[in-house]
Amino acid sequence: MIDLHCHSCFSDGTDEPEALAIKSDALELTALALTDHDTLEGLPRFLAMQPEVKTRLVPGIELSCRFLGKELHILGLLVDHQNREFRARIDEVRARRNQRNIKLVERLQSLGIDINLEIVRTWAPSGLVSRTHFARQLAAMGIVGNSPEAFRKLIGENGSAFVPFQELSPTEAALWIHEAGGVALVAHPGRFAAGRFIWNDAMSELQRFGIDGFEAYYGEYGPAEQRYFLELAARLGMLPSGGSDYHGGNKPGLELGRGRGNLKIPDSVLENLEAARPRSINGVFHPWVS
Ligand code: AMP
Ligand code: MN
Ligand code: MN
Ligand code: MN
Protein backbone atom coordinates (compact mmCIF):
# COMPACT_ATOMS: atom_id res chain seq x y z
CA MET A 1 0.00 0.00 0.00
CA ILE A 2 1.22 3.48 -0.88
CA ASP A 3 0.25 7.13 -0.35
CA LEU A 4 1.31 9.69 -2.95
CA HIS A 5 -0.16 12.89 -1.48
CA CYS A 6 0.42 14.49 1.92
CA HIS A 7 1.50 17.78 3.50
CA SER A 8 4.07 18.74 6.12
CA CYS A 9 4.40 21.88 8.22
CA PHE A 10 6.34 23.37 5.29
CA SER A 11 2.93 24.09 3.73
CA ASP A 12 -0.38 23.57 5.53
CA GLY A 13 0.16 20.25 7.31
CA THR A 14 1.04 20.07 10.99
CA ASP A 15 3.60 17.19 10.97
CA GLU A 16 7.36 17.66 10.58
CA PRO A 17 8.75 15.92 7.45
CA GLU A 18 10.63 13.41 9.65
CA ALA A 19 7.42 12.51 11.48
CA LEU A 20 5.70 11.71 8.17
CA ALA A 21 8.51 9.33 7.22
CA ILE A 22 8.38 7.59 10.60
CA LYS A 23 4.58 7.30 10.57
CA SER A 24 4.52 5.80 7.06
CA ASP A 25 7.12 3.25 8.13
CA ALA A 26 5.10 2.32 11.22
CA LEU A 27 2.03 1.87 8.97
CA GLU A 28 4.17 -0.34 6.69
CA LEU A 29 3.45 1.75 3.60
CA THR A 30 5.61 0.76 0.63
CA ALA A 31 5.92 4.39 -0.49
CA LEU A 32 4.98 7.88 0.65
CA ALA A 33 5.22 11.11 -1.38
CA LEU A 34 5.48 14.50 0.29
CA THR A 35 3.56 17.03 -1.86
CA ASP A 36 3.54 20.39 -0.11
CA HIS A 37 1.75 23.31 -1.82
CA ASP A 38 4.04 25.42 -4.00
CA THR A 39 7.21 24.59 -2.08
CA LEU A 40 10.09 22.11 -2.20
CA GLU A 41 11.48 23.20 1.16
CA GLY A 42 10.35 20.19 3.20
CA LEU A 43 11.89 17.66 0.81
CA PRO A 44 15.56 17.69 1.91
CA ARG A 45 14.54 16.80 5.48
CA PHE A 46 11.97 14.25 4.29
CA LEU A 47 14.35 12.48 1.89
CA ALA A 48 17.18 12.52 4.43
CA MET A 49 15.08 10.02 6.43
CA GLN A 50 15.39 7.35 3.73
CA PRO A 51 18.21 5.39 5.42
CA GLU A 52 16.10 5.07 8.57
CA VAL A 53 12.87 3.77 7.06
CA LYS A 54 11.75 0.93 4.79
CA THR A 55 9.04 3.05 3.15
CA ARG A 56 10.25 4.52 -0.12
CA LEU A 57 10.22 8.32 0.24
CA VAL A 58 9.13 10.04 -2.98
CA PRO A 59 9.73 13.74 -3.76
CA GLY A 60 6.67 15.69 -4.87
CA ILE A 61 4.90 19.05 -4.99
CA GLU A 62 1.30 20.29 -5.39
CA LEU A 63 1.10 23.34 -7.65
CA SER A 64 -1.80 25.81 -7.50
CA CYS A 65 -3.03 26.37 -11.06
CA ARG A 66 -6.01 27.88 -12.85
CA PHE A 67 -7.90 26.08 -15.60
CA LEU A 68 -10.94 27.56 -17.38
CA GLY A 69 -11.09 30.27 -14.72
CA LYS A 70 -11.14 27.85 -11.79
CA GLU A 71 -8.66 26.61 -9.24
CA LEU A 72 -6.99 23.33 -10.16
CA HIS A 73 -4.18 21.61 -8.25
CA ILE A 74 -1.49 19.78 -10.22
CA LEU A 75 0.79 17.28 -8.49
CA GLY A 76 4.36 16.73 -9.64
CA LEU A 77 5.67 13.36 -8.46
CA LEU A 78 9.21 11.99 -8.77
CA VAL A 79 10.53 15.48 -9.49
CA ASP A 80 14.19 16.41 -9.06
CA HIS A 81 13.84 18.89 -6.22
CA GLN A 82 17.41 20.12 -6.71
CA ASN A 83 16.86 21.13 -10.34
CA ARG A 84 17.88 24.82 -10.42
CA GLU A 85 15.41 25.99 -13.00
CA PHE A 86 12.54 24.19 -11.28
CA ARG A 87 13.47 25.79 -7.96
CA ALA A 88 13.60 29.26 -9.50
CA ARG A 89 10.15 28.72 -11.01
CA ILE A 90 8.71 27.58 -7.70
CA ASP A 91 10.20 30.67 -5.99
CA GLU A 92 8.29 32.80 -8.47
CA VAL A 93 5.02 31.01 -7.64
CA ARG A 94 5.77 31.57 -3.97
CA ALA A 95 6.12 35.32 -4.57
CA ARG A 96 2.72 35.36 -6.28
CA ARG A 97 1.24 33.52 -3.29
CA ASN A 98 2.62 36.17 -0.94
CA GLN A 99 0.96 38.88 -3.03
CA ARG A 100 -2.34 36.98 -2.92
CA ASN A 101 -2.06 36.74 0.88
CA ILE A 102 -1.58 40.51 1.21
CA LYS A 103 -4.68 41.12 -0.95
CA LEU A 104 -6.65 38.56 1.04
CA VAL A 105 -5.87 40.38 4.29
CA GLU A 106 -6.98 43.68 2.71
CA ARG A 107 -10.21 42.12 1.49
CA LEU A 108 -11.01 40.68 4.93
CA GLN A 109 -10.18 44.01 6.60
CA SER A 110 -12.51 45.80 4.19
CA LEU A 111 -15.27 43.48 5.45
CA GLY A 112 -14.58 44.76 8.97
CA ILE A 113 -12.54 41.76 10.14
CA ASP A 114 -9.59 42.74 12.33
CA ILE A 115 -6.94 40.42 10.88
CA ASN A 116 -3.32 40.85 9.74
CA LEU A 117 -0.60 38.71 8.19
CA GLU A 118 1.45 38.47 11.39
CA ILE A 119 -1.37 36.82 13.29
CA VAL A 120 -2.13 34.39 10.42
CA ARG A 121 1.57 33.52 10.33
CA THR A 122 1.42 32.19 13.88
CA TRP A 123 -0.44 29.18 12.38
CA ALA A 124 2.26 28.66 9.73
CA PRO A 125 5.45 27.68 11.55
CA SER A 126 7.57 27.13 8.44
CA GLY A 127 6.71 30.33 6.62
CA LEU A 128 4.41 29.37 3.74
CA VAL A 129 1.03 30.94 4.44
CA SER A 130 -1.99 29.15 3.02
CA ARG A 131 -5.72 29.77 3.19
CA THR A 132 -5.81 26.83 5.61
CA HIS A 133 -3.99 29.09 8.09
CA PHE A 134 -6.40 31.97 7.39
CA ALA A 135 -9.29 29.57 8.06
CA ARG A 136 -7.85 28.53 11.42
CA GLN A 137 -7.33 32.14 12.48
CA LEU A 138 -10.85 33.15 11.40
CA ALA A 139 -12.23 30.23 13.43
CA ALA A 140 -10.05 31.12 16.44
CA MET A 141 -11.42 34.69 16.29
CA GLY A 142 -14.97 33.35 16.28
CA ILE A 143 -15.72 34.98 12.90
CA VAL A 144 -16.74 31.50 11.68
CA GLY A 145 -17.54 28.31 13.58
CA ASN A 146 -14.91 26.14 11.84
CA SER A 147 -12.47 26.00 8.91
CA PRO A 148 -14.87 24.65 6.23
CA GLU A 149 -17.25 27.52 7.08
CA ALA A 150 -14.37 30.00 6.56
CA PHE A 151 -13.95 28.63 3.02
CA ARG A 152 -17.69 28.59 2.32
CA LYS A 153 -18.43 32.10 3.54
CA LEU A 154 -15.21 34.03 3.09
CA ILE A 155 -12.06 32.68 1.49
CA GLY A 156 -13.23 29.84 -0.80
CA GLU A 157 -14.02 30.45 -4.49
CA ASN A 158 -17.59 31.52 -3.70
CA GLY A 159 -16.69 33.40 -0.51
CA SER A 160 -17.07 37.17 -0.17
CA ALA A 161 -13.32 37.75 0.41
CA PHE A 162 -12.02 35.36 -2.28
CA VAL A 163 -8.88 36.48 -4.09
CA PRO A 164 -7.93 34.45 -7.17
CA PHE A 165 -4.54 32.83 -7.15
CA GLN A 166 -1.76 33.28 -9.71
CA GLU A 167 -2.27 32.42 -13.33
CA LEU A 168 -0.09 29.30 -13.60
CA SER A 169 -1.67 27.15 -16.29
CA PRO A 170 -1.77 23.34 -16.26
CA THR A 171 0.28 23.37 -19.48
CA GLU A 172 3.00 25.38 -17.79
CA ALA A 173 2.88 23.22 -14.67
CA ALA A 174 3.15 20.01 -16.73
CA LEU A 175 6.13 21.37 -18.66
CA TRP A 176 7.94 22.46 -15.49
CA ILE A 177 7.32 19.08 -13.87
CA HIS A 178 8.49 17.16 -16.94
CA GLU A 179 11.61 19.31 -17.20
CA ALA A 180 12.32 18.40 -13.58
CA GLY A 181 11.94 14.73 -14.51
CA GLY A 182 8.57 14.10 -12.87
CA VAL A 183 5.03 13.12 -13.83
CA ALA A 184 2.16 15.64 -13.77
CA LEU A 185 -1.19 14.66 -12.28
CA VAL A 186 -4.46 16.43 -11.50
CA ALA A 187 -5.04 16.34 -7.75
CA HIS A 188 -8.43 15.32 -6.34
CA PRO A 189 -10.66 15.85 -9.42
CA GLY A 190 -14.18 16.46 -8.20
CA ARG A 191 -13.08 18.11 -4.94
CA PHE A 192 -12.90 21.76 -3.87
CA ALA A 193 -13.19 24.29 -6.66
CA ALA A 194 -12.43 21.63 -9.23
CA GLY A 195 -15.81 20.03 -8.52
CA ARG A 196 -17.64 21.66 -11.37
CA PHE A 197 -15.78 20.42 -14.43
CA ILE A 198 -17.26 17.85 -16.74
CA TRP A 199 -14.36 15.52 -16.15
CA ASN A 200 -14.71 13.45 -19.23
CA ASP A 201 -14.06 16.50 -21.44
CA ALA A 202 -11.77 18.39 -19.08
CA MET A 203 -9.37 15.48 -18.67
CA SER A 204 -8.90 14.84 -22.36
CA GLU A 205 -8.17 18.56 -22.78
CA LEU A 206 -5.66 18.41 -19.91
CA GLN A 207 -4.12 15.31 -21.49
CA ARG A 208 -3.48 17.33 -24.64
CA PHE A 209 -1.77 19.94 -22.44
CA GLY A 210 0.67 17.29 -21.20
CA ILE A 211 -0.97 16.10 -17.99
CA ASP A 212 -0.13 12.41 -17.47
CA GLY A 213 -2.95 11.34 -15.19
CA PHE A 214 -4.99 12.14 -12.10
CA GLU A 215 -5.88 10.96 -8.65
CA ALA A 216 -8.36 8.13 -9.03
CA TYR A 217 -7.74 7.18 -5.39
CA TYR A 218 -8.23 9.93 -2.82
CA GLY A 219 -8.59 10.13 0.95
CA GLU A 220 -12.08 11.56 0.71
CA TYR A 221 -13.54 9.67 -2.24
CA GLY A 222 -16.34 7.20 -1.82
CA PRO A 223 -16.31 3.89 -3.77
CA ALA A 224 -18.39 5.32 -6.62
CA GLU A 225 -16.02 8.23 -7.22
CA GLN A 226 -13.00 5.92 -7.15
CA ARG A 227 -14.63 3.58 -9.64
CA TYR A 228 -15.60 6.47 -11.93
CA PHE A 229 -12.09 7.95 -12.01
CA LEU A 230 -10.38 4.54 -12.44
CA GLU A 231 -12.62 3.85 -15.42
CA LEU A 232 -12.01 7.33 -16.83
CA ALA A 233 -8.23 6.84 -16.56
CA ALA A 234 -8.46 3.52 -18.39
CA ARG A 235 -10.75 4.99 -21.06
CA LEU A 236 -8.50 7.99 -21.76
CA GLY A 237 -5.21 6.10 -21.44
CA MET A 238 -4.17 8.31 -18.51
CA LEU A 239 -2.38 7.18 -15.35
CA PRO A 240 -4.25 6.74 -12.08
CA SER A 241 -2.53 8.13 -9.00
CA GLY A 242 -3.69 8.51 -5.44
CA GLY A 243 -3.14 9.64 -1.92
CA SER A 244 -4.74 10.59 1.35
CA ASP A 245 -4.04 14.37 1.24
CA TYR A 246 -3.14 13.98 4.91
CA HIS A 247 -2.63 17.40 6.63
CA GLY A 248 -2.19 16.24 10.25
CA GLY A 249 -4.25 18.34 12.65
CA ASN A 250 -5.27 20.79 9.90
CA LYS A 251 -7.61 18.17 8.35
CA PRO A 252 -8.82 15.97 11.20
CA GLY A 253 -10.05 12.46 10.44
CA LEU A 254 -7.66 11.71 7.57
CA GLU A 255 -4.91 9.11 8.08
CA LEU A 256 -1.77 8.52 6.05
CA GLY A 257 -2.31 5.65 3.61
CA ARG A 258 -5.89 5.03 4.76
CA GLY A 259 -7.70 8.34 4.25
CA ARG A 260 -11.01 8.08 6.07
CA GLY A 261 -10.42 4.35 6.59
CA ASN A 262 -10.99 2.54 3.31
CA LEU A 263 -8.25 3.91 1.09
CA LYS A 264 -6.02 1.19 -0.40
CA ILE A 265 -3.66 2.22 -3.17
CA PRO A 266 -1.79 -0.66 -4.82
CA ASP A 267 2.01 -0.49 -5.28
CA SER A 268 1.53 -0.90 -9.06
CA VAL A 269 0.26 2.71 -9.22
CA LEU A 270 3.73 4.02 -8.40
CA GLU A 271 5.43 1.49 -10.68
CA ASN A 272 3.34 2.78 -13.61
CA LEU A 273 4.11 6.42 -12.78
CA GLU A 274 7.79 5.58 -12.59
CA ALA A 275 7.69 3.98 -16.04
CA ALA A 276 6.06 7.13 -17.44
CA ARG A 277 8.78 9.56 -16.31
CA PRO A 278 10.10 11.57 -19.25
CA ARG A 279 13.37 10.11 -20.45
CA SER A 280 14.64 13.33 -21.98
CA ILE A 281 13.63 16.93 -22.53
CA ASN A 282 14.87 18.93 -25.53
CA GLY A 283 17.40 16.22 -26.31
CA VAL A 284 18.91 16.26 -22.83
CA PHE A 285 18.61 12.93 -21.04
CA HIS A 286 17.54 12.90 -17.43
CA PRO A 287 20.16 11.41 -15.11
CA TRP A 288 18.21 8.23 -14.25
CA VAL A 289 18.19 7.04 -17.88
CA SER A 290 20.98 4.51 -18.30
P1 AMP B 1 -4.07 28.07 -0.78
O1 AMP B 1 -3.09 27.14 -1.39
O2 AMP B 1 -3.44 29.03 0.18
O3 AMP B 1 -4.94 28.76 -1.79
O4 AMP B 1 -5.04 27.17 0.13
C1 AMP B 1 -5.62 26.02 -0.42
C2 AMP B 1 -5.82 24.94 0.64
O5 AMP B 1 -6.95 25.22 1.41
C3 AMP B 1 -6.14 23.60 0.00
O6 AMP B 1 -5.00 22.87 -0.27
C4 AMP B 1 -6.94 22.89 1.04
O7 AMP B 1 -6.11 22.30 2.00
C5 AMP B 1 -7.70 24.02 1.65
N1 AMP B 1 -9.04 24.19 1.04
C6 AMP B 1 -9.35 24.72 -0.17
N2 AMP B 1 -10.68 24.79 -0.37
C7 AMP B 1 -11.24 24.27 0.76
C8 AMP B 1 -12.58 24.04 1.19
N3 AMP B 1 -13.62 24.37 0.43
N4 AMP B 1 -12.75 23.50 2.43
C9 AMP B 1 -11.70 23.18 3.21
N5 AMP B 1 -10.42 23.36 2.85
C10 AMP B 1 -10.18 23.89 1.65
MN1 MN C 1 -3.76 22.05 1.79
MN1 MN D 1 -5.20 20.24 -3.25
MN1 MN E 1 -3.02 18.47 -1.04
Side-chain angles (χ1 to χ4, degrees):
M1 255 168 39
I2 60 173
D3 187 338
L4 300 178
H5 187 163
C6 76
H7 298 268
S8 78
C9 60
F10 279 85
S11 65
D12 59 347
T14 52
D15 289 28
E16 304 277 337
E18 291 83 0
L20 293 169
I22 290 166
K23 277 186 191 169
S24 61
D25 204 39
L27 291 166
E28 298 186 358
L29 296 183
T30 318
L32 175 69
L34 175 60
T35 53
D36 275 318
H37 298 284
D38 303 324
T39 181
L40 298 160
E41 281 177 29
L43 290 172
R45 278 175 51 186
F46 180 65
L47 299 173
M49 289 297 287
Q50 189 62 86
E52 330 246 335
V53 298
K54 281 214 213 70
T55 303
R56 176 176 170 198
L57 304 177
V58 176
I61 191 164
E62 182 172 14
L63 292 173
S64 314
C65 296
R66 287 194 86 70
F67 176 57
L68 306 177
K70 293 179 192 136
E71 185 179 346
L72 185 77
H73 291 177
I74 302 290
L75 294 164
L77 293 179
L78 299 160
V79 287
D80 172 9
H81 67 291
Q82 289 170 326
N83 180 301
R84 269 229 237 115
E85 188 149 23
F86 191 50
R87 289 163 67 106
R89 287 163 164 172
I90 302 305
D91 285 347
E92 171 61 26
V93 171
R94 182 70 176 265
R96 291 187 232 168
R97 164 183 289 277
N98 292 342
Q99 286 156 13
R100 188 282 309 263
N101 288 342
I102 291 167
K103 282 197 207 142
L104 187 51
V105 165
E106 287 168 3
R107 191 74 64 90
L108 288 164
Q109 285 174 347
S110 76
L111 294 173
I113 297 168
D114 184 19
I115 197 166
N116 59 61
L117 215 43
E118 283 60 51
I119 191 95
V120 177
R121 254 196 214 110
T122 60
W123 297 96
S126 299
L128 182 140
V129 175
S130 136
R131 277 181 296 158
T132 305
H133 305 121
F134 276 87
R136 293 212 63 173
Q137 175 58 23
L138 290 164
M141 291 165 80
I143 306 282
V144 290
N146 52 41
S147 292
E149 192 184 326
F151 279 94
R152 223 170 28 249
K153 292 196 171 153
L154 291 165
I155 60 177
E157 270 212 321
N158 299 319
S160 49
F162 177 68
V163 178
F165 207 72
Q166 80 280 341
E167 297 298 312
L168 187 63
S169 68
T171 317
E172 208 174 354
L175 189 66
W176 290 5
I177 290 164
H178 290 156
E179 289 195 353
V183 287
L185 307 149
V186 176
H188 46 69
R191 287 298 148 127
F192 303 128
R196 287 162 298 173
F197 292 116
I198 297 166
W199 283 110
N200 202 23
D201 299 343
M203 270 321 168
S204 45
E205 184 86 1
L206 287 161
Q207 187 178 28
R208 278 195 293 280
F209 293 163
I211 300 293
D212 302 295
F214 49 87
E215 289 188 310
Y217 302 90
Y218 186 63
E220 298 189 289
Y221 282 170
E225 268 173 305
Q226 179 175 305
R227 207 174 319 114
Y228 172 79
F229 283 115
L230 280 173
E231 281 171 13
L232 184 63
R235 192 158 74 236
L236 297 176
M238 293 179 82
L239 293 166
S241 183
S244 63
D245 209 0
Y246 173 79
H247 281 65
N250 278 341
K251 256 197 191 178
L254 274 179
E255 282 308 322
L256 270 187
R258 301 182 190 156
R260 298 237 180 254
N262 295 322
L263 191 63
K264 249 195 200 148
I265 307 168
D267 294 6
S268 58
V269 165
L270 180 58
E271 288 156 20
N272 292 335
L273 294 177
E274 185 108 57
R277 290 174 89 177
R279 293 172 62 79
S280 70
I281 285 282
N282 299 331
V284 179
F285 283 90
H286 284 301
W288 56 86
V289 179
S290 54

